[in-house]
């Protein structure tokens, strides 16, 4: 089954404790992206990747890191999480550029930073 | 940056009613996405369109490029259509980025 998976689905952590949210897709998509969703603000892009070893900042990259060592995986790293990073996070992928290709979303990761 | 406005923000209707959700954007685009976010949080892509109209089952999406406006219609609405509907357009910063509307929360009562 074609899908985007994220882990963990739920995470409660404390300020400063490094964490990684994994994202994997099995559709051989070149484009992958991370979004956060907050009430009243909608979906906002954190980082995106056009292909292996090619990543770039989205609209809200501060406090986040990503890597794209393999085509299928695009982990989101929070080196020192803070309470303002409490949010619902989505990974998405597509064959090509986001604007012109159907986006496939992961199930979401609900993160709480205390 | 492309600005995206959706209306209404919230919509409650009775089962069977015809539903219209609107999306307006500020900068000319070549494609627009409609997404559906289920009550459980998952997001699925409904349509991507660049002109005219697309239909899938009871859902119809239209776009008017000149007026910078798109509509999502649901015919014979059903409680299972209850969800948040989100439109997205390319950012002026490049086709690798999307800008999202804040969503329309639709509730269909039996």
């Amino acid at each position: 089954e074609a899908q985007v998976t994220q882990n963990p689905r739920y995470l409660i952590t404390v300020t400063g404790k490094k964490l990684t949210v994994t994202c994997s897709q099995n559709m051989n998509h070149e484009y992958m992206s991370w979004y956060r969703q907050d009430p009243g603000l909608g979906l906002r892009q954190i980082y995106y990747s056009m292909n292996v070893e090619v990543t770039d900042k989205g609209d809200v990259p501060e406090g986040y890191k990503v890597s794209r060592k393999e085509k299928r995986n695009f982990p989101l790293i929070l080196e020192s999480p803070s309470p303002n990073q409490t949010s619902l996070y989505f990974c998405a992928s597509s064959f090509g550029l986001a604007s012109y290709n159907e986006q496939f979303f992961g199930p979401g990761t609900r993160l709480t930073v205390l | 940056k492309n600005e995206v406005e959706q209306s209404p923000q919230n919509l409650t209707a009775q089962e069977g009613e015809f539903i219209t959700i609107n999306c307006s954007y500020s900068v000319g685009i070549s494609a627009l996405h409609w997404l559906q976010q289920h009550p459980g949080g998952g997001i699925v892509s409904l349509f991507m369109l660049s002109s005219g109209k697309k239909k899938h089952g009871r859902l119809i999406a239209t776009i008017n490029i000149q007026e910078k406006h798109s509509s999502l219609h649901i015919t014979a609405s059903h409680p299972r259509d209850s969800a948040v509907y989100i439109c997205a357009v390319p950012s002026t910063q490049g086709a690798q980025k999307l800008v999202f509307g804040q969503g329309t929360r639709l509730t269909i009562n039996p």
Side-chain angles (χ1 to χ4, degrees):
Chain A
E1 179 191 355
Q3 60 182 347
V4 178
T5 57
Q6 290 179 232
N7 282 292
R9 294 289 312 278
Y10 302 90
L11 179 60
I12 301 174
T13 189
V14 296
T15 298
K17 186 176 181 183
K18 181 180 178 180
L19 66 93
T20 299
V21 184
T22 65
C23 173
S24 183
Q25 50 92 6
N26 62 1
M27 295 168 279
N28 201 35
H29 285 169
E30 291 190 347
Y31 180 94
M32 298 185 75
S33 184
W34 275 103
Y35 301 97
R36 61 178 288 174
Q37 186 179 39
D38 302 289
L41 298 176
L43 284 158
R44 293 179 293 166
Q45 190 178 49
I46 303 171
Y47 269 95
Y48 64 92
S49 170
M50 303 280 280
N51 212 326
V52 175
E53 303 292 2
V54 181
T55 63
D56 206 349
K57 296 177 181 179
D59 295 319
V60 288
E62 296 77 21
Y64 305 94
K65 285 176 56 178
V66 293
S67 68
R68 188 94 181 270
K69 294 185 171 59
E70 303 166 286
K71 199 170 188 178
R72 63 184 293 124
N73 296 323
F74 189 44
L76 179 69
I77 303 155
L78 285 71
E79 294 267 2
S80 183
S82 62
N84 64 12
Q85 292 178 297
T86 293
S87 188
L88 180 58
Y89 292 87
F90 289 97
C91 179
S93 71
S94 59
F95 278 112
L97 293 173
S99 295
Y100 309 125
N101 290 273
E102 180 182 1
Q103 296 291 294
F104 292 81
F105 286 82
T109 295
R110 188 168 293 281
L111 172 66
T112 301
V113 183
L114 302 175
Chain B
K1 182 178 176 179
N2 215 338
E3 301 291 334
V4 182
E5 293 287 334
Q6 285 187 238
S7 63
Q9 287 189 320
N10 294 282
L11 178 57
T12 299
Q14 292 299 121
E15 183 173 356
E17 288 189 38
F18 181 81
I19 303 298
T20 297
I21 298 169
N22 298 298
C23 176
S24 297
Y25 48 92
S26 59
V27 179
I29 60 169
S30 51
L32 179 144
H33 299 251
W34 280 104
L35 311 172
Q36 180 191 54
Q37 186 168 23
H38 300 294
I43 300 174
V44 295
S45 176
L46 295 176
F47 296 102
M48 188 182 66
L49 66 166
S50 55
S51 65
K53 180 166 78 172
K54 283 192 174 181
K55 185 174 189 287
H56 185 251
R58 295 179 294 104
L59 273 60
I60 304 165
T62 63
I63 189 168
N64 185 318
I65 295 292
Q66 287 73 31
E67 295 187 3
K68 299 187 180 65
H69 181 269
S70 176
S71 293
L72 177 68
H73 305 286
I74 305 175
T75 62
S77 59
H78 189 276
R80 65 175 175 266
D81 297 324
S82 297
V84 176
Y85 293 85
I86 302 168
C87 70
V89 300
S91 169
T92 53
Q93 297 169 341
Q96 68 277 21
K97 294 184 176 183
L98 287 172
V99 176
F100 298 84
Q102 293 203 15
T104 294
R105 184 174 299 275
L106 174 65
T107 302
I108 304 295
N109 293 318

